[in-house]
Structure formats: structure tokens, C-alpha cells
Coordinates of all heavy atoms in Angstrom, one line a residue:
M1 N -15.0 -7.5 -5.3 CA -14.6 -6.4 -4.5 C -14.5 -6.9 -3.0 O -15.2 -7.8 -2.6 CB -15.6 -5.2 -4.5 CG -15.1 -4.1 -3.7 SD -15.8 -2.6 -4.3 CE -15.0 -1.4 -3.3
G2 N -13.5 -6.3 -2.3 CA -13.3 -6.8 -0.9 C -14.2 -6.1 0.1 O -15.0 -5.3 -0.2
D3 N -14.1 -6.6 1.3 CA -14.9 -6.1 2.4 C -14.1 -5.0 3.1 O -13.0 -5.2 3.7 CB -15.1 -7.3 3.4 CG -15.9 -6.9 4.6 OD1 -15.6 -6.0 5.3 OD2 -16.9 -7.6 4.8
I4 N -14.6 -3.8 3.1 CA -13.9 -2.6 3.6 C -13.7 -2.7 5.1 O -12.6 -2.4 5.6 CB -14.8 -1.3 3.3 CG1 -14.8 -1.1 1.8 CG2 -14.2 -0.1 4.1 CD1 -15.8 0.0 1.4
A5 N -14.6 -3.2 5.9 CA -14.4 -3.4 7.3 C -13.3 -4.3 7.7 O -12.5 -4.1 8.5 CB -15.7 -3.8 8.0
K6 N -13.3 -5.5 6.9 CA -12.2 -6.4 7.1 C -10.9 -5.8 6.7 O -9.8 -6.1 7.3 CB -12.5 -7.7 6.4 CG -13.6 -8.5 7.0 CD -13.8 -9.8 6.2 CE -15.0 -10.6 6.9 NZ -15.3 -11.8 6.1
G7 N -10.9 -5.0 5.6 CA -9.7 -4.4 5.2 C -9.1 -3.4 6.2 O -7.9 -3.3 6.3
E8 N -10.0 -2.7 6.8 CA -9.6 -1.7 7.8 C -8.9 -2.4 9.0 O -7.9 -2.0 9.5 CB -10.8 -0.9 8.3 CG -10.3 0.2 9.4 CD -11.5 1.1 9.8 OE1 -12.6 0.8 9.5 OE2 -11.2 2.1 10.4
K9 N -9.5 -3.6 9.4 CA -8.9 -4.4 10.4 C -7.5 -4.9 10.0 O -6.6 -4.9 10.8 CB -9.9 -5.5 10.8 CG -9.5 -6.3 12.0 CD -10.6 -7.3 12.3 CE -10.3 -8.0 13.6 NZ -11.3 -9.0 14.0
L10 N -7.4 -5.3 8.8 CA -6.1 -5.8 8.3 C -5.1 -4.6 8.3 O -3.9 -4.8 8.6 CB -6.2 -6.3 6.9 CG -6.8 -7.8 6.7 CD1 -7.2 -8.0 5.3 CD2 -5.7 -8.8 7.2
F11 N -5.6 -3.5 7.9 CA -4.7 -2.3 7.8 C -4.1 -2.0 9.3 O -2.9 -1.8 9.4 CB -5.4 -1.1 7.3 CG -4.5 0.2 7.3 CD1 -3.7 0.4 6.2 CD2 -4.4 1.0 8.4 CE1 -2.9 1.5 6.1 CE2 -3.6 2.1 8.3 CZ -2.8 2.4 7.2
K12 N -5.0 -2.0 10.2 CA -4.6 -1.7 11.6 C -3.7 -2.8 12.1 O -2.8 -2.5 12.9 CB -5.9 -1.6 12.5 CG -6.7 -0.3 12.2 CD -7.9 -0.3 13.1 CE -8.7 1.0 12.8 NZ -9.9 1.1 13.5
G13 N -3.9 -4.0 11.7 CA -3.0 -5.1 12.2 C -1.7 -5.3 11.5 O -0.7 -5.8 12.1
R14 N -1.7 -4.9 10.2 CA -0.5 -5.2 9.4 C 0.2 -4.0 8.8 O 1.4 -4.1 8.4 CB -0.8 -6.1 8.3 CG -1.3 -7.5 8.8 CD -1.3 -8.5 7.7 NE -1.9 -9.7 8.0 CZ -2.1 -10.7 7.2 NH1 -1.6 -10.7 6.0 NH2 -2.7 -11.8 7.6
A15 N -0.4 -2.8 8.8 CA 0.2 -1.7 8.1 C 0.3 -0.5 9.0 O 1.2 0.3 8.8 CB -0.6 -1.3 6.9
A16 N -0.6 -0.3 10.0 CA -0.6 0.9 10.8 C 0.7 1.2 11.6 O 0.9 2.3 12.0 CB -1.8 0.9 11.7
Q17 N 1.4 0.1 11.9 CA 2.7 0.3 12.6 C 3.7 1.1 11.8 O 4.6 1.7 12.3 CB 3.2 -1.0 13.2 CG 3.6 -2.0 12.1 CD 2.4 -3.0 11.8 OE1 1.3 -2.6 11.7 NE2 2.7 -4.2 11.7
C18 N 3.5 1.1 10.4 CA 4.5 1.8 9.6 C 3.9 2.9 8.7 O 4.6 3.8 8.3 CB 5.1 0.8 8.6 SG 6.2 -0.4 9.4
H19 N 2.6 2.9 8.5 CA 1.9 3.8 7.6 C 0.8 4.5 8.4 O 0.0 3.9 9.1 CB 1.3 3.1 6.4 CG 2.3 2.5 5.5 ND1 2.9 3.1 4.5 CD2 2.7 1.2 5.4 CE1 3.7 2.3 3.9 NE2 3.6 1.1 4.4
T20 N 0.6 5.8 8.1 CA -0.6 6.5 8.5 C -1.6 6.5 7.3 O -1.2 6.2 6.2 CB -0.4 8.0 8.9 OG1 0.2 8.7 7.8 CG2 0.6 8.0 10.1
A21 N -2.9 6.8 7.6 CA -3.9 6.7 6.5 C -4.9 7.9 6.6 O -6.0 7.8 6.0 CB -4.6 5.4 6.6
T22 N -4.5 9.0 7.2 CA -5.4 10.1 7.3 C -4.9 11.2 6.4 O -3.7 11.4 6.2 CB -5.4 10.6 8.8 OG1 -4.1 10.9 9.2 CG2 -6.0 9.6 9.7
K23 N -5.9 12.0 5.9 CA -5.6 13.2 5.1 C -4.6 14.1 5.9 O -4.9 14.5 7.0 CB -6.8 13.9 4.7 CG -6.6 15.1 3.8 CD -7.8 15.8 3.4 CE -7.5 17.0 2.5 NZ -8.7 17.7 2.1
G24 N -3.5 14.4 5.2 CA -2.5 15.3 5.9 C -1.7 14.6 6.9 O -0.9 15.3 7.6
G25 N -1.9 13.3 7.1 CA -1.2 12.6 8.2 C 0.3 12.5 7.8 O 0.7 12.6 6.6
G26 N 1.1 12.4 8.8 CA 2.6 12.4 8.6 C 3.0 11.0 8.1 O 2.2 10.1 8.0
N27 N 4.2 11.0 7.7 CA 4.9 9.7 7.2 C 5.4 9.0 8.4 O 5.8 9.7 9.4 CB 6.0 10.0 6.2 CG 5.4 10.6 5.0 OD1 4.4 10.2 4.4 ND2 6.1 11.7 4.5
G28 N 5.4 7.7 8.4 CA 6.1 6.9 9.4 C 7.3 6.3 8.8 O 8.0 6.9 8.0
V29 N 7.5 5.0 9.2 CA 8.5 4.2 8.5 C 8.2 4.1 7.0 O 9.1 4.2 6.2 CB 8.6 2.8 9.2 CG1 9.6 1.9 8.4 CG2 9.0 2.9 10.6
G30 N 6.9 4.1 6.7 CA 6.5 4.2 5.3 C 5.7 5.4 5.1 O 5.3 6.1 6.0
P31 N 5.4 5.7 3.8 CA 4.6 6.9 3.5 C 3.2 6.9 4.0 O 2.6 5.8 4.1 CB 4.7 7.0 2.0 CG 4.9 5.6 1.6 CD 5.7 4.9 2.6
N32 N 2.6 8.1 4.1 CA 1.1 8.2 4.4 C 0.4 7.5 3.2 O 0.8 7.8 2.0 CB 0.8 9.6 4.5 CG -0.7 9.8 4.8 OD1 -1.5 9.5 3.9 ND2 -1.0 10.4 5.9
L33 N -0.6 6.8 3.4 CA -1.3 6.0 2.4 C -2.7 6.7 2.0 O -3.4 6.1 1.2 CB -1.5 4.6 2.8 CG -0.2 3.8 2.9 CD1 -0.5 2.3 3.3 CD2 0.6 3.9 1.7
F34 N -3.0 7.9 2.5 CA -4.2 8.5 2.1 C -4.1 8.9 0.7 O -3.1 9.5 0.2 CB -4.4 9.8 3.0 CG -5.8 10.4 2.7 CD1 -6.9 10.0 3.4 CD2 -5.9 11.4 1.7 CE1 -8.1 10.6 3.1 CE2 -7.2 12.0 1.5 CZ -8.3 11.6 2.2
G35 N -5.1 8.4 -0.1 CA -5.0 8.7 -1.6 C -4.1 7.8 -2.4 O -3.8 8.1 -3.5
I36 N -3.7 6.7 -1.8 CA -2.8 5.7 -2.5 C -3.4 5.2 -3.8 O -2.6 5.1 -4.8 CB -2.4 4.6 -1.6 CG1 -1.4 3.6 -2.2 CG2 -3.6 3.7 -1.1 CD1 0.0 4.2 -2.4
V37 N -4.7 4.9 -3.8 CA -5.2 4.3 -5.0 C -5.3 5.4 -6.1 O -5.9 6.4 -6.0 CB -6.6 3.7 -4.8 CG1 -7.2 3.1 -6.1 CG2 -6.5 2.5 -3.8
G38 N -4.6 5.1 -7.2 CA -4.5 6.1 -8.3 C -3.3 7.0 -8.3 O -3.1 7.8 -9.2
R39 N -2.5 6.9 -7.2 CA -1.4 7.8 -7.1 C -0.1 7.2 -7.8 O 0.0 6.0 -7.8 CB -1.1 8.0 -5.6 CG 0.0 9.0 -5.3 CD 0.0 9.4 -3.9 NE 0.5 8.3 -3.0 CZ 0.1 8.2 -1.7 NH1 -0.7 9.1 -1.2 NH2 0.6 7.3 -1.0
Q40 N 0.7 8.0 -8.2 CA 2.0 7.6 -8.8 C 2.9 7.2 -7.7 O 3.0 7.9 -6.6 CB 2.6 8.8 -9.6 CG 3.9 8.5 -10.2 CD 3.8 7.8 -11.5 OE1 2.7 7.8 -12.2 NE2 4.8 7.1 -11.9
S41 N 3.7 6.2 -7.8 CA 4.6 5.7 -6.8 C 5.7 6.7 -6.6 O 6.1 7.4 -7.5 CB 5.2 4.4 -7.3 OG 6.2 4.0 -6.4
G42 N 6.1 6.9 -5.3 CA 7.2 7.7 -5.0 C 6.9 9.2 -4.9 O 7.8 10.0 -5.1
T43 N 5.6 9.6 -4.7 CA 5.3 11.0 -4.7 C 4.8 11.6 -3.4 O 4.3 12.8 -3.5 CB 4.2 11.2 -5.8 OG1 3.0 10.4 -5.5 CG2 4.7 10.8 -7.2
V44 N 4.8 10.9 -2.3 CA 4.4 11.5 -1.1 C 5.4 12.5 -0.6 O 6.6 12.1 -0.3 CB 4.0 10.5 0.0 CG1 3.8 11.1 1.4 CG2 2.8 9.6 -0.4
E45 N 5.1 13.7 -0.4 CA 6.0 14.8 0.0 C 6.6 14.4 1.4 O 5.9 14.0 2.3 CB 5.3 16.1 0.1 CG 6.2 17.3 0.2 CD 5.4 18.6 0.1 OE1 4.5 18.7 -0.7 OE2 5.8 19.5 0.9
G46 N 7.9 14.6 1.5 CA 8.6 14.4 2.7 C 9.0 13.0 3.0 O 9.6 12.8 4.1
F47 N 8.7 12.0 2.2 CA 9.1 10.7 2.4 C 10.3 10.3 1.6 O 10.4 10.7 0.4 CB 8.0 9.7 2.1 CG 8.4 8.3 2.5 CD1 8.4 7.9 3.9 CD2 8.8 7.3 1.6 CE1 8.8 6.6 4.3 CE2 9.2 6.1 2.0 CZ 9.2 5.7 3.3
S48 N 11.3 9.7 2.2 CA 12.5 9.3 1.5 C 12.4 7.9 0.9 O 12.5 6.9 1.6 CB 13.7 9.3 2.5 OG 14.9 8.9 1.9
Y49 N 12.0 7.9 -0.4 CA 11.8 6.6 -1.1 C 13.1 5.9 -1.6 O 14.1 6.6 -1.8 CB 10.9 6.9 -2.3 CG 9.5 7.2 -2.0 CD1 9.0 8.5 -1.9 CD2 8.6 6.1 -1.9 CE1 7.7 8.8 -1.7 CE2 7.2 6.4 -1.6 CZ 6.8 7.7 -1.5 OH 5.5 8.0 -1.2
S50 N 13.0 4.6 -1.8 CA 14.1 3.9 -2.4 C 14.2 4.4 -3.9 O 13.2 4.8 -4.5 CB 13.9 2.4 -2.4 OG 12.7 2.1 -3.1
K51 N 15.4 4.2 -4.5 CA 15.5 4.5 -5.9 C 14.6 3.6 -6.7 O 14.0 4.1 -7.7 CB 17.0 4.2 -6.3 CG 17.3 4.5 -7.8 CD 18.8 4.3 -8.1 CE 19.0 4.7 -9.5 NZ 20.4 4.5 -9.9
A52 N 14.4 2.4 -6.3 CA 13.5 1.5 -7.1 C 12.1 2.0 -7.1 O 11.4 2.0 -8.2 CB 13.5 0.1 -6.4
N53 N 11.6 2.5 -6.0 CA 10.3 3.1 -5.9 C 10.1 4.3 -6.8 O 9.2 4.5 -7.5 CB 9.9 3.3 -4.5 CG 8.4 3.3 -4.2 OD1 7.7 4.1 -4.8 ND2 7.9 2.5 -3.4
L54 N 11.1 5.2 -6.6 CA 11.1 6.5 -7.3 C 11.1 6.3 -8.8 O 10.5 7.1 -9.6 CB 12.3 7.4 -6.9 CG 12.2 8.0 -5.5 CD1 13.6 8.6 -5.2 CD2 11.1 9.1 -5.5
E55 N 11.8 5.3 -9.3 CA 12.0 5.1 -10.7 C 11.1 4.1 -11.3 O 11.2 3.8 -12.5 CB 13.5 4.8 -11.0 CG 14.4 5.9 -10.6 CD 15.9 5.5 -10.9 OE1 16.2 4.4 -11.3 OE2 16.7 6.4 -10.6
S56 N 10.2 3.6 -10.5 CA 9.3 2.4 -11.0 C 8.3 2.9 -12.1 O 7.9 2.0 -12.9 CB 8.6 1.8 -9.8 OG 7.6 2.7 -9.4
G57 N 7.8 4.1 -12.0 CA 6.8 4.5 -13.0 C 5.4 3.9 -12.7 O 4.5 4.0 -13.5
V58 N 5.3 3.3 -11.5 CA 4.1 2.6 -11.1 C 3.0 3.6 -10.7 O 3.2 4.5 -10.0 CB 4.3 1.6 -10.0 CG1 3.1 1.1 -9.3 CG2 5.2 0.5 -10.5
T59 N 1.7 3.3 -11.2 CA 0.6 4.0 -10.6 C -0.2 2.9 -9.8 O -0.4 1.8 -10.3 CB -0.3 4.5 -11.8 OG1 0.4 5.5 -12.5 CG2 -1.6 5.2 -11.2
W60 N -0.5 3.3 -8.6 CA -1.1 2.3 -7.7 C -2.6 2.1 -7.9 O -3.5 2.6 -7.3 CB -0.9 2.7 -6.2 CG 0.5 2.8 -5.9 CD1 1.3 3.9 -5.5 CD2 1.5 1.7 -5.8 NE1 2.6 3.5 -5.2 CE2 2.7 2.2 -5.4 CE3 1.3 0.3 -6.1 CZ2 3.8 1.4 -5.3 CZ3 2.5 -0.5 -6.0 CH2 3.7 0.0 -5.5
T61 N -2.9 1.3 -9.0 CA -4.3 0.9 -9.3 C -4.6 -0.3 -8.4 O -3.7 -0.9 -7.8 CB -4.4 0.5 -10.7 OG1 -3.6 -0.7 -10.9 CG2 -4.0 1.6 -11.7
P62 N -5.9 -0.6 -8.2 CA -6.2 -1.8 -7.4 C -5.5 -3.1 -7.9 O -5.0 -3.9 -7.2 CB -7.7 -2.0 -7.5 CG -8.2 -0.5 -7.7 CD -7.1 0.1 -8.5
E63 N -5.4 -3.2 -9.2 CA -4.8 -4.4 -9.8 C -3.3 -4.4 -9.5 O -2.7 -5.5 -9.2 CB -5.0 -4.4 -11.4 CG -6.4 -4.5 -11.8 CD -7.2 -3.1 -11.7 OE1 -6.6 -2.1 -11.6 OE2 -8.5 -3.2 -11.7
V64 N -2.6 -3.3 -9.6 CA -1.2 -3.2 -9.3 C -0.9 -3.5 -7.8 O 0.0 -4.2 -7.4 CB -0.6 -1.9 -9.8 CG1 0.9 -1.7 -9.2 CG2 -0.6 -1.8 -11.3
L65 N -1.8 -2.8 -7.0 CA -1.6 -3.1 -5.5 C -1.8 -4.5 -5.2 O -1.1 -5.1 -4.3 CB -2.7 -2.2 -4.8 CG -2.4 -0.8 -4.6 CD1 -3.6 0.0 -4.2 CD2 -1.2 -0.5 -3.6
N66 N -2.7 -5.2 -5.9 CA -2.9 -6.7 -5.6 C -1.6 -7.5 -5.8 O -1.3 -8.3 -5.0 CB -4.0 -7.2 -6.5 CG -4.3 -8.6 -6.2 OD1 -4.6 -9.0 -5.0 ND2 -4.3 -9.5 -7.2
V67 N -0.9 -7.2 -6.9 CA 0.3 -7.9 -7.2 C 1.4 -7.5 -6.2 O 2.1 -8.3 -5.7 CB 0.7 -7.6 -8.7 CG1 2.1 -8.3 -9.0 CG2 -0.3 -8.1 -9.7
Y68 N 1.5 -6.2 -6.0 CA 2.5 -5.7 -5.1 C 2.4 -6.2 -3.7 O 3.3 -6.7 -3.1 CB 2.4 -4.1 -5.1 CG 3.4 -3.5 -4.1 CD1 4.8 -3.4 -4.4 CD2 3.0 -3.0 -2.9 CE1 5.7 -2.8 -3.6 CE2 3.9 -2.4 -2.0 CZ 5.3 -2.3 -2.4 OH 6.2 -1.7 -1.5
L69 N 1.2 -6.2 -3.2 CA 0.9 -6.6 -1.8 C 1.1 -8.1 -1.6 O 1.3 -8.6 -0.5 CB -0.5 -6.2 -1.3 CG -0.6 -4.7 -1.1 CD1 -2.1 -4.4 -0.9 CD2 0.2 -4.2 0.1
E70 N 1.1 -8.9 -2.7 CA 1.3 -10.3 -2.5 C 2.8 -10.6 -2.2 O 3.1 -11.4 -1.4 CB 1.0 -11.1 -3.8 CG 1.2 -12.6 -3.7 CD 0.7 -13.3 -4.9 OE1 0.5 -12.7 -6.0 OE2 0.6 -14.6 -4.8
N71 N 3.7 -9.8 -2.8 CA 5.1 -10.0 -2.6 C 5.9 -8.7 -3.0 O 6.3 -8.6 -4.1 CB 5.7 -11.2 -3.3 CG 7.1 -11.5 -3.0 OD1 7.9 -10.7 -2.5 ND2 7.5 -12.8 -3.2
P72 N 5.9 -7.7 -2.1 CA 6.5 -6.4 -2.5 C 7.9 -6.5 -3.1 O 8.2 -5.8 -4.0 CB 6.5 -5.6 -1.2 CG 5.4 -6.2 -0.4 CD 5.4 -7.7 -0.7
K73 N 8.8 -7.3 -2.5 CA 10.2 -7.3 -2.9 C 10.3 -8.0 -4.3 O 11.2 -7.7 -5.1 CB 11.1 -8.0 -1.9 CG 11.2 -7.1 -0.6 CD 12.3 -7.6 0.2 CE 12.5 -6.7 1.5 NZ 12.9 -5.4 1.3
K74 N 9.4 -8.9 -4.6 CA 9.4 -9.5 -5.9 C 8.9 -8.6 -7.0 O 9.5 -8.4 -8.1 CB 8.6 -10.8 -5.9 CG 8.5 -11.5 -7.3 CD 7.7 -12.8 -7.2 CE 7.6 -13.5 -8.6 NZ 6.7 -14.6 -8.6
F75 N 7.9 -7.8 -6.6 CA 7.3 -6.9 -7.6 C 8.2 -5.7 -7.8 O 8.3 -5.2 -9.0 CB 5.9 -6.3 -7.0 CG 5.3 -5.3 -7.9 CD1 4.4 -5.7 -8.9 CD2 5.5 -3.9 -7.7 CE1 3.8 -4.7 -9.7 CE2 4.9 -3.0 -8.5 CZ 4.1 -3.4 -9.5
M76 N 8.9 -5.2 -6.8 CA 9.7 -4.0 -6.9 C 11.1 -4.3 -6.2 O 11.3 -3.9 -5.1 CB 9.1 -2.8 -6.3 CG 9.7 -1.5 -6.6 SD 8.8 -0.1 -5.8 CE 7.4 0.0 -6.9
P77 N 12.0 -5.1 -6.9 CA 13.3 -5.3 -6.3 C 14.0 -4.0 -5.9 O 14.0 -3.0 -6.6 CB 14.0 -6.0 -7.4 CG 13.0 -6.6 -8.2 CD 11.8 -5.7 -8.2
G78 N 14.5 -4.0 -4.7 CA 15.1 -2.8 -4.2 C 14.2 -1.9 -3.3 O 14.7 -0.9 -2.8
T79 N 13.0 -2.2 -3.2 CA 12.1 -1.5 -2.3 C 12.6 -1.5 -0.9 O 13.2 -2.5 -0.5 CB 10.6 -1.9 -2.4 OG1 9.8 -1.1 -1.6 CG2 10.4 -3.4 -1.9
K80 N 12.3 -0.4 -0.1 CA 12.7 -0.4 1.3 C 11.6 -1.1 2.2 O 11.8 -1.3 3.3 CB 12.9 1.0 1.8 CG 14.0 1.7 1.2 CD 14.4 3.0 1.8 CE 13.4 4.0 2.1 NZ 13.8 5.3 2.6
M81 N 10.5 -1.4 1.6 CA 9.4 -2.0 2.4 C 9.7 -3.4 2.8 O 9.8 -4.3 2.0 CB 8.1 -2.0 1.6 CG 6.9 -2.4 2.4 SD 5.3 -1.8 1.8 CE 4.4 -3.3 1.7
S82 N 9.9 -3.5 4.1 CA 10.3 -4.9 4.6 C 9.1 -5.6 5.1 O 8.9 -5.8 6.3 CB 11.3 -4.7 5.8 OG 10.8 -3.9 6.8
F83 N 8.2 -6.0 4.2 CA 7.0 -6.6 4.5 C 6.9 -7.8 3.6 O 7.1 -7.7 2.4 CB 5.8 -5.6 4.2 CG 4.4 -6.2 4.4 CD1 4.0 -6.6 5.7 CD2 3.6 -6.4 3.4 CE1 2.7 -7.1 5.9 CE2 2.3 -6.9 3.5 CZ 1.9 -7.3 4.8
A84 N 6.6 -9.0 4.2 CA 6.7 -10.2 3.4 C 5.5 -10.3 2.4 O 5.7 -11.0 1.4 CB 6.6 -11.4 4.4
G85 N 4.4 -9.6 2.6 CA 3.3 -9.7 1.7 C 2.1 -10.4 2.3 O 2.2 -10.9 3.4
I86 N 1.0 -10.3 1.6 CA -0.2 -11.0 2.0 C -0.5 -12.0 1.0 O -0.8 -11.7 -0.2 CB -1.4 -9.9 2.1 CG1 -1.0 -8.8 3.1 CG2 -2.7 -10.6 2.4 CD1 -2.0 -7.7 3.1
K87 N -0.4 -13.3 1.4 CA -0.6 -14.4 0.4 C -2.0 -14.6 0.0 O -2.3 -15.1 -1.1 CB 0.0 -15.7 1.0 CG 1.5 -15.5 1.4 CD 2.4 -15.0 0.2 CE 3.8 -14.7 0.6 NZ 4.4 -13.7 -0.1
K88 N -3.0 -14.4 0.9 CA -4.4 -14.7 0.6 C -5.0 -13.6 -0.2 O -5.1 -12.4 0.2 CB -5.2 -14.9 1.9 CG -4.7 -16.1 2.8 CD -5.5 -16.2 4.0 CE -5.0 -17.4 4.8 NZ -5.7 -17.5 6.1
E89 N -5.5 -14.0 -1.4 CA -6.1 -13.1 -2.3 C -7.3 -12.3 -1.7 O -7.4 -11.1 -1.9 CB -6.5 -13.8 -3.6 CG -6.9 -12.8 -4.7 CD -7.1 -13.4 -6.1 OE1 -6.8 -14.6 -6.2 OE2 -7.5 -12.7 -7.0
K90 N -8.1 -13.0 -0.9 CA -9.3 -12.3 -0.3 C -8.8 -11.2 0.7 O -9.4 -10.2 0.7 CB -10.1 -13.4 0.4 CG -11.3 -12.8 1.2 CD -12.4 -12.2 0.3 CE -13.6 -11.8 1.1 NZ -13.9 -10.4 1.2
E91 N -7.8 -11.5 1.4 CA -7.3 -10.5 2.4 C -6.7 -9.3 1.6 O -6.9 -8.1 2.0 CB -6.2 -11.1 3.3 CG -6.7 -12.0 4.3 CD -5.7 -12.5 5.3 OE1 -4.5 -12.3 5.1 OE2 -6.1 -13.2 6.2
R92 N -6.0 -9.5 0.5 CA -5.5 -8.4 -0.3 C -6.7 -7.6 -0.9 O -6.7 -6.4 -0.9 CB -4.6 -8.9 -1.5 CG -3.3 -9.5 -1.0 CD -2.3 -9.7 -2.1 NE -2.8 -10.4 -3.3 CZ -2.8 -11.7 -3.5 NH1 -2.4 -12.5 -2.5 NH2 -3.3 -12.2 -4.6
A93 N -7.7 -8.3 -1.3 CA -8.9 -7.6 -1.9 C -9.6 -6.7 -0.8 O -10.0 -5.6 -1.0 CB -9.9 -8.6 -2.4
D94 N -9.6 -7.3 0.4 CA -10.2 -6.5 1.6 C -9.4 -5.3 1.9 O -9.9 -4.2 2.0 CB -10.3 -7.4 2.8 CG -11.3 -8.5 2.7 OD1 -12.2 -8.5 1.7 OD2 -11.3 -9.5 3.5
L95 N -8.1 -5.4 1.9 CA -7.2 -4.3 2.2 C -7.3 -3.2 1.2 O -7.4 -2.1 1.4 CB -5.8 -4.8 2.4 CG -4.7 -3.7 2.7 CD1 -5.1 -2.9 4.0 CD2 -3.3 -4.3 2.8
I96 N -7.3 -3.7 -0.1 CA -7.4 -2.7 -1.2 C -8.7 -2.0 -1.2 O -8.8 -0.8 -1.5 CB -7.1 -3.4 -2.5 CG1 -5.6 -3.9 -2.6 CG2 -7.4 -2.5 -3.7 CD1 -5.3 -4.9 -3.6
A97 N -9.8 -2.7 -0.9 CA -11.1 -2.0 -0.7 C -11.0 -0.9 0.3 O -11.6 0.2 0.1 CB -12.2 -3.1 -0.4
F98 N -10.4 -1.2 1.5 CA -10.2 -0.2 2.5 C -9.4 1.0 2.0 O -9.7 2.1 2.1 CB -9.6 -0.8 3.8 CG -9.2 0.3 4.8 CD1 -10.2 1.0 5.4 CD2 -7.9 0.6 5.0 CE1 -9.9 2.0 6.3 CE2 -7.5 1.6 5.9 CZ -8.5 2.3 6.6
L99 N -8.2 0.7 1.3 CA -7.4 1.7 0.8 C -8.1 2.6 -0.2 O -7.8 3.8 -0.2 CB -6.1 1.1 0.2 CG -5.1 0.4 1.1 CD1 -4.0 -0.3 0.3 CD2 -4.6 1.3 2.2
G100 N -9.0 2.0 -0.9 CA -9.8 2.8 -1.9 C -10.7 3.8 -1.2 O -11.2 4.8 -1.9
T101 N -11.0 3.7 0.1 CA -11.9 4.7 0.8 C -11.0 5.8 1.3 O -11.6 6.8 1.7 CB -12.6 4.0 2.0 OG1 -11.6 3.7 3.0 CG2 -13.4 2.8 1.6
L102 N -9.7 5.8 1.2 CA -8.9 6.8 1.7 C -8.6 7.9 0.7 O -7.5 8.1 0.2 CB -7.5 6.2 2.2 CG -7.6 5.1 3.2 CD1 -6.2 4.5 3.4 CD2 -8.2 5.5 4.5
S103 N -9.7 8.6 0.4 CA -9.6 9.7 -0.6 C -10.8 10.7 -0.3 O -11.6 10.4 0.5 CB -9.7 9.2 -2.0 OG -10.9 8.6 -2.2
E104 N -10.8 11.8 -1.0 CA -11.8 12.8 -0.8 C -13.0 12.5 -1.7 O -12.8 12.0 -2.8 CB -11.2 14.2 -1.0 CG -10.2 14.5 0.0 CD -9.7 15.9 -0.1 OE1 -10.4 16.8 0.2 OE2 -8.5 16.1 -0.5

């Protein structure tokens, strides 16, 4: 399991410019990520998803997030997310640990 504090720092440095992470928070360039772990892809109300994301059938488990975050465009060709990915497995684990705290 990853380090939540390090994951929060990674989120603030690499994701917060496009995503919010608070309950009821608005969408930015990307959708709000509160409750992302365990959520079906393409389901945040009010966000305009790519066809690839809407039709992926993906549920964002920690394992799926790990693969996705390594290389989003390889995992989901056609995604609108213009993020190169996180190559270091430990950093992905830390970020996913933080994302796992974003729920009730």
C-alpha cells in the first residue's frame, strides 16, 4: 500500500490543476475525483467525457488505476486526459492510496 501523505502531495503537484477532490466539488478540465475508487468510468455528473471513457466499462479499482495512471492514452485510446502518466510504481501506489481516502 502507498503512503497517503506522499500521495496527497503528488495529487496537489500533478492532478489538482485539472481535478478537484472534495465532496460535491466542481469539475475542472477533468472530473471531480471524490469517490473515484470503485466508481464506474464516465459517471461524474456534469462532466463531458470522451466517447472512449464513456464506453470503456471500466470500474476504477486500485489495480485498474495503477495501469491507467502509468500511461492513460495507452490504457484508454481516445481519452481526453492529456497526462503522460506516472512511470514510478511507488508514486502511483502513493497517489492511489490518497485517492482511496476520498470517500465517505
Side-chain angles (χ1 to χ4, degrees):
M1 181 156 187
D3 182 305
I4 293 168
K6 287 180 181 176
E8 183 174 13
K9 190 174 183 180
L10 280 164
F11 181 88
K12 288 177 180 175
R14 297 197 189 176
Q17 60 270 44
C18 293
H19 297 277
T20 60
T22 55
K23 182 180 180 184
N27 296 314
V29 173
N32 179 299
L33 296 181
F34 187 87
I36 182 74
V37 178
R39 184 167 70 207
Q40 181 80 22
S41 177
T43 59
V44 172
E45 193 172 320
F47 186 75
S48 177
Y49 287 94
S50 65
K51 184 176 179 182
N53 203 303
L54 285 170
E55 296 178 357
S56 71
V58 167
T59 297
W60 297 117
T61 64
E63 297 78 17
V64 170
L65 283 165
N66 183 53
V67 176
Y68 179 76
L69 289 169
E70 184 177 13
N71 188 335
K73 290 194 181 296
K74 180 179 178 185
F75 178 87
M76 190 178 290
T79 184
K80 292 194 310 188
M81 187 158 127
S82 60
F83 178 66
I86 300 172
K87 302 306 174 211
K88 294 180 181 175
E89 189 168 354
K90 176 70 172 110
E91 288 183 354
R92 292 193 310 274
D94 293 344
L95 179 58
I96 293 164
F98 170 69
L99 293 174
T101 70
L102 304 177
S103 64
E104 296 185 69

